[in-house]
Amino acid sequence: MHELFPEPIVGWIRVGIDRPIDIAGCGLTYAVGPDLGELSPGDAITVPLGRGNTPTAGWVLCSCPPPDPPLNTVKHVLARRNAVAIPPDLVRLGAWIARYYLAPIGPTLSSLVPSAVKRGTGTVQRRLLTQAPPPDECPRLGPAQKKVLHAIQSISETDQPIERRALRDLAGVATYGPIDALVRNGLLIETRRSDIEATWQATHLPAAAAPTPTAAQQTIIDDIGEVLDAGFSVHLMRGVTGSGKTEVYLRLIEQVLKAGHSALVLVPEISLTPQTAGRLSARFPDQQVALMHSALPAAARNAQWSAAKSGEARIVLGARSGVFAPIPPQSIGLIVVDEEHDASFKQDSTPRYHGRDVAIRRGQDANCPVLLCSATPSLESWHNANTRNDWTLHHLAERAPGLSIPRTRVVDRTAERREDPGGGAIGPTLRAALDRVLDGGHQALLLLNRRGWATYIACHDRRCGWTLQCEHCDVTMVYHRAGEVPGRGYLRCHHCHREVRLPKICPDCGGRPTRLGQGTQRLEEELLAIRTDLVLGETLVRMDSDSMQHIDHFHTVLAAFQRGEIRVLLGTQMIAKGLDVPGVQLVGVIDADTAMHLPDFRAAERTFQLVSQVTGRCGRGEMPGRAIVQTMDPDAPSIVQAASGETEAFLNAEVMMRRDALLPPITRMARVVIQHEDLTTCEKRSERVAAGLQALAPDSGVTLGPMPCPLPRLRGRHRREVLLTAITGQDLQAWLHEALAQRVLHDPAIMVDVDPISLL
Ligand code: ADP
Ligand code: ZN
Ligand code: ZN
């Protein structure tokens, strides 16, 4: 066919195919025929794929020269797709992500645009009418048509075009018939426009007066303010919790807006967006704040996306995926990454990107400053800020005026338990403090980083040693209470979500299974028992991913806590972040050790962050607050230093340890996980992958493994891993890309995670 009647070719393009192929690739090459018009990067198209030439969705990456040598089979782009185009700078960003994180290019591009936008959810077709210039000879009109003409003549030209429906109502005619007849005989002109219905808006707080910055804040505002126009730079602002970091970036955003630019603010979790959106809109009451996160209703996502794209909203606030807000690159004046250390910035499915690092890349592309903020910077950012020329470190050493330093006490739970063996999760010290605060009419925040009621089920007979494991995963199943009924519940695997009933007897010895370990549901029961004045769901509220299924729920709970109606808020790490509630007088950490014993080189860093962050939630009003940290390991440096606020000492000591162990941030890491249903196959493949990677290692490269993953079986698949480290990111990238080219990593059962955060 092609040889006999070759289709004319007007150009060549590379296409990102929306299929999990072309890992870290730069697209497949297609010919463009004359009838498609000019194709630009980001345009949505359909192309033939594979031997069957199946029409497949794809994105235009770039135009390219004719293939040399010429292709055996030339394939033509089939058609344009009826989908919104990806802005060209996001195409560049997506291509970088695909390369850097070894992700398939097409699906990576698709993931940059919310599906609500791709589908055009909430788009309405508007039919608009204007009056046509009067014709030389007026056709004969019926009375209804005359009414319509009079109606449109009665409105001023500036109010035209008018919507079809509005015109019908104005004319007082019963149907659209007369309007359509006037369009047909040329007396009215109809245009069609698709609009996105703005169905959803961020809640506006009353405008708030800005406090006068302290000298320390002003120095940072001036320093960064000076380079706002000077192109790309990265700033790490470290400041104790409550030191007024938000105030610093609000001032900088003010300057950005004055200069006519837009600002992009990222927070690690959706749960933090209501508070930050509130502060942004209170400070900038005349500005629309576009929200970009996955918990918005679909039509709203579409509307907010358009508002960011058109520049209608010049402040854009988002969670991780907000980094893909379609703000035109020439408009972006500043990118802020708040709580930059937070692990939630890393996406745990393909593409496994880190929101902070993509934000930095985007700042580079848009040539604007990027401001990272944290009370407990990640070791990566701390190290970069101390060693790289284009990074600057800023420091707020003191809390904002009017805020006091929380007094933190570390409580040795082992010692306490010896005195009080029958006690629950709340030890005597914490109990006494809780009573004092609640009796005084104040509020408390209690953190327990484990969901459910009991964390595992074990045989009552210790000699037996049976624990209930998930059938598909190598983890214990968690006991959840069903509804509000105490004593009735089920077991759930937190990894594959399988549920089973509580067994009546131990399958190994016939003994009695017992429910062990404390989860948030059990803590809730304990609190209700010791403080009978608390009412569940009113003055006592639990906040974890089981209880918070919807963003609106968050709004409600946070607002009630802010107003002081909720006296005790208990929850998982969800409540440890960013909350700024003046009435909180006590923060209790039930078990600071939850993160400490994870098989992860960042365990100490995580523990330090969690304890520092949560204790920073108190003392935000006029009264000093106190924090009580319960631990089995009261001498652990991460806990002691977090409690005493020695952030710099902790960071520096941790960098030293990482240096000795050749771990990130001193080296760069990639994790390769090989999964298979069959253990022997999994083992064999992992040996092969490890050997292949080892053979390609650069001078500074180290391969570790193959070894079983800390979670050796997940969803019925065995998991083995190989860890790679290299001294520089370039070395690591070259290594991985060579391994891809040599087909060491081509197997779909292989998962590659570059700069991994979770090592489970
Ligand atoms: P961070 O982000 O560092 O945790 P915030 O920006 O939330 O701190 O500030 C904590 C509180 O202090 C907020 O209520 C804020 O309004 C207030 N604040 C910040 N800067 C000042 C200032 N210069 N004067 C008075 N209050 C301030
Ligand atoms: Zn499971
Ligand atoms: Zn048993």
Side-chain angles (χ1 to χ4, degrees):
M1 264 283 281
H2 280 293
E3 288 73 36
L4 275 177
F5 304 105
E7 271 188 73
I9 294 173
V10 298
W12 294 86
I13 55 168
R14 288 182 186 278
V15 179
I17 310 282
D18 201 357
R19 289 282 177 281
I21 55 170
D22 202 14
I23 309 285
C26 43
L28 308 188
T29 306
Y30 284 87
V32 185
D35 44 352
L36 284 172
E38 196 169 335
L39 290 173
S40 315
D43 283 352
I45 51 171
T46 316
V47 293
L49 183 70
R51 252 184 270 156
N53 284 334
T54 319
T56 308
W59 305 93
V60 179
L61 295 173
C62 54
S63 55
C64 62
D68 182 27
L71 300 174
N72 291 338
T73 42
V74 172
K75 294 194 181 189
H76 278 71
V77 176
L78 296 174
R80 286 176 179 272
R81 260 186 302 136
N82 189 16
V84 75
I86 302 176
D89 66 310
L90 291 181
V91 174
R92 287 196 295 276
L93 193 65
W96 177 81
I97 289 173
R99 246 190 341 270
Y100 186 88
Y101 293 102
L102 271 69
I105 174 95
T108 299
L109 287 175
S110 289
S111 72
L112 306 192
V113 182
S115 48
V117 175
K118 282 182 284 202
R119 284 197 308 265
T121 312
T123 309
V124 286
Q125 282 289 332
R126 296 202 192 287
R127 299 174 72 168
L128 302 164
L129 296 150
T130 23
Q131 223 182 318
D136 299 337
E137 199 179 318
C138 197
R140 284 178 52 101
L141 301 174
Q145 293 180 22
K146 280 190 184 147
K147 270 190 184 173
V148 172
L149 264 195
H150 283 142
I152 199 160
Q153 280 160 0
S154 73
I155 58 174
S156 72
E157 257 171 52
T158 47
D159 287 341
Q160 292 189 35
I162 179 171
E163 270 200 73
R164 192 160 170 260
R165 184 199 187 103
L167 181 59
R168 185 197 65 183
D169 294 350
L170 189 68
V173 294
T175 67
Y176 293 116
I179 298 180
D180 294 343
L182 288 167
V183 172
R184 275 196 303 276
N185 58 31
L187 291 172
L188 291 179
I189 300 169
E190 187 184 82
T191 45
R192 294 184 186 212
R193 195 177 77 201
S194 42
D195 269 356
I196 295 163
E197 251 174 325
T199 48
W200 192 89
Q201 276 296 312
T203 24
H204 270 266
L205 294 183
T212 312
T214 61
Q217 285 172 324
Q218 193 61 51
T219 307
I220 304 179
I221 297 165
D222 292 344
D223 287 354
I224 302 178
E226 220 159 80
V227 299
L228 277 179
D229 291 329
F232 172 69
S233 53
V234 188
H235 303 266
L236 174 61
M237 174 166 50
R238 166 167 94 82
V240 294
T241 52
S243 58
K245 296 183 289 296
T246 312
E247 183 58 35
V248 169
Y249 73 68
L250 288 176
R251 294 276 174 172
L252 290 167
I253 291 173
E254 189 181 339
Q255 293 186 28
V256 166
L257 295 172
K258 273 208 189 103
H261 293 137
S262 303
L264 173 60
V265 180
L266 302 175
V267 292
E269 273 192 55
I270 296 172
S271 61
L272 289 175
T273 54
Q275 179 173 290
T276 309
R279 285 176 85 165
L280 285 164
S281 56
R283 180 61 61 85
F284 306 108
D286 305 332
Q287 296 285 343
Q288 187 185 335
V289 179
L291 281 190
M292 310 272 289
H293 61 72
S294 55
L296 294 179
R301 283 204 90 180
N302 195 5
Q304 306 275 311
W305 200 85
S306 301
K309 185 158 190 263
S310 66
E312 203 180 318
R314 294 194 16 238
I315 304 173
V316 180
L317 169 66
R320 189 200 309 131
S321 65
V323 73
F324 306 124
I327 314 170
Q330 64 280 9
S331 306
I332 309 180
L334 176 70
I335 303 177
V336 177
V337 183
D338 206 355
E339 313 288 354
E340 66 83 25
H341 64 277
D342 201 292
S344 309
F345 273 121
K346 176 87 171 172
Q347 171 143 299
D348 63 3
S349 56
T350 313
R352 296 172 191 276
Y353 68 91
H354 196 298
R356 173 196 63 219
D357 299 336
V358 174
I360 293 171
R361 177 72 198 179
R362 192 151 188 213
Q364 219 165 18
D365 187 78
N367 204 27
C368 74
V370 179
L371 171 57
L372 314 178
C373 312
S374 177
T376 53
S378 62
L379 266 289
E380 282 73 13
S381 296
W382 176 248
H383 184 63
N384 280 332
N386 282 304
T387 54
R388 293 178 68 132
N389 287 332
D390 46 358
W391 285 59
T392 316
L393 191 60
H394 307 269
H395 187 200
L396 286 174
E398 272 157 30
R399 287 199 134 194
L403 273 70
S404 48
I405 306 284
R407 285 171 297 141
T408 302
R409 180 157 167 205
V410 177
V411 173
D412 182 351
R413 275 300 275 155
T414 320
E416 269 194 352
R417 273 198 195 282
R418 247 178 265 130
E419 318 250 300
D420 170 36
I426 298 173
T429 316
L430 180 56
R431 170 73 205 269
L434 187 65
D435 284 343
R436 210 168 324 123
V437 163
L438 292 182
D439 293 342
H442 303 296
Q443 293 170 282
L445 191 76
L446 295 180
L447 176 91
L448 176 58
N449 217 0
R450 280 187 302 247
R451 289 185 289 134
W453 196 89
T455 42
Y456 65 106
I457 305 291
C459 180
H460 188 69
D461 185 348
R462 281 172 187 233
R463 288 164 307 178
C464 165
W466 171 83
T467 57
L468 192 122
Q469 302 267 323
C470 174
E471 209 176 286
H472 305 294
C473 314
D474 282 340
V475 291
T476 54
M477 294 184 87
V478 176
Y479 183 79
H480 284 257
R481 195 186 54 202
E484 300 307 332
V485 193
R488 283 207 18 217
Y490 56 92
L491 288 146
R492 179 190 295 158
C493 170
H494 281 184
H495 293 276
C496 71
H497 310 293
R498 206 172 74 93
E499 290 178 1
V500 296
R501 300 181 75 95
L502 183 66
K504 295 221 161 52
I505 54 164
C506 166
D508 287 359
C509 75
R512 187 160 54 85
T514 42
R515 297 170 298 174
L516 296 169
Q518 296 280 351
T520 44
Q521 285 184 334
R522 191 173 199 166
L523 180 64
E524 180 183 277
E525 274 182 27
E526 183 176 334
L527 274 162
L528 288 172
I530 61 175
R531 292 286 312 197
T532 47
D533 55 330
L534 291 175
V535 181
L536 188 61
E538 289 177 25
T539 51
L540 170 67
V541 172
R542 172 166 59 88
M543 198 153 159
D544 54 31
S545 53
D546 298 317
S547 71
M548 294 290 133
Q549 299 287 354
H550 199 270
I551 185 86
D552 287 344
H553 204 158
F554 263 120
H555 285 259
T556 320
V557 169
L558 292 183
F561 195 52
Q562 201 88 37
R563 288 193 303 267
E565 290 160 19
I566 297 174
R567 309 289 306 288
V568 181
L569 182 64
L570 81 92
T572 53
Q573 44 143 8
M574 211 175 254
I575 61 168
K577 299 174 185 177
L579 288 189
D580 181 24
V581 177
V584 175
Q585 290 289 298
L586 173 70
V587 169
V589 180
I590 302 298
D591 180 359
D593 311 348
T594 41
M596 204 147 51
H597 303 296
L598 290 176
D600 182 335
F601 70 90
R602 288 193 184 88
E605 184 182 353
R606 294 269 171 75
T607 305
F608 180 85
Q609 286 165 351
L610 188 68
V611 173
S612 306
Q613 291 289 345
V614 72
T615 55
R617 297 307 127 216
C618 67
R620 288 183 168 247
E622 275 136 35
M623 315 262 279
R626 67 185 302 200
I628 290 181
V629 178
Q630 299 189 150
T631 169
M632 301 286 201
D633 196 355
D635 300 321
S638 53
I639 290 182
V640 174
Q641 286 170 323
S644 56
E646 296 169 81
T647 305
E648 197 160 336
F650 173 79
L651 292 169
N652 289 335
E654 191 66 20
V655 170
M656 295 296 279
M657 279 192 283
R658 305 273 179 94
R659 193 182 299 281
D660 291 342
L662 287 177
L663 285 167
I666 304 304
T667 56
R668 299 294 281 275
M669 181 182 273
R671 180 176 187 233
V672 179
V673 175
I674 299 95
Q675 319 189 61
H676 204 274
E677 281 82 23
D678 178 57
L679 180 59
T680 321
T681 313
C682 182
E683 282 170 348
K684 275 204 191 115
R685 285 196 188 172
S686 61
E687 298 286 347
R688 203 164 59 221
V689 170
L693 288 166
Q694 178 69 56
L696 299 171
D699 288 344
S700 75
V702 176
T703 26
L704 202 64
M707 55 205 170
C709 294
L711 216 163
R713 205 167 51 102
L714 185 63
R715 294 184 198 98
R717 299 206 286 171
H718 296 275
R719 305 167 78 234
R720 307 225 126 202
E721 66 178 352
V722 183
L723 295 178
L724 311 182
T725 55
I727 291 289
T728 64
Q730 289 90 318
D731 277 0
L732 185 65
Q733 286 288 318
W735 187 1
L736 291 170
H737 285 104
E738 188 55 29
L740 261 183
Q742 305 280 339
R743 299 183 65 77
V744 174
L745 298 174
H746 65 287
D747 186 335
I750 295 177
M751 184 277 286
V752 181
D753 191 358
V754 179
D755 301 333
I757 293 288
S758 164
L759 294 173
L760 273 186

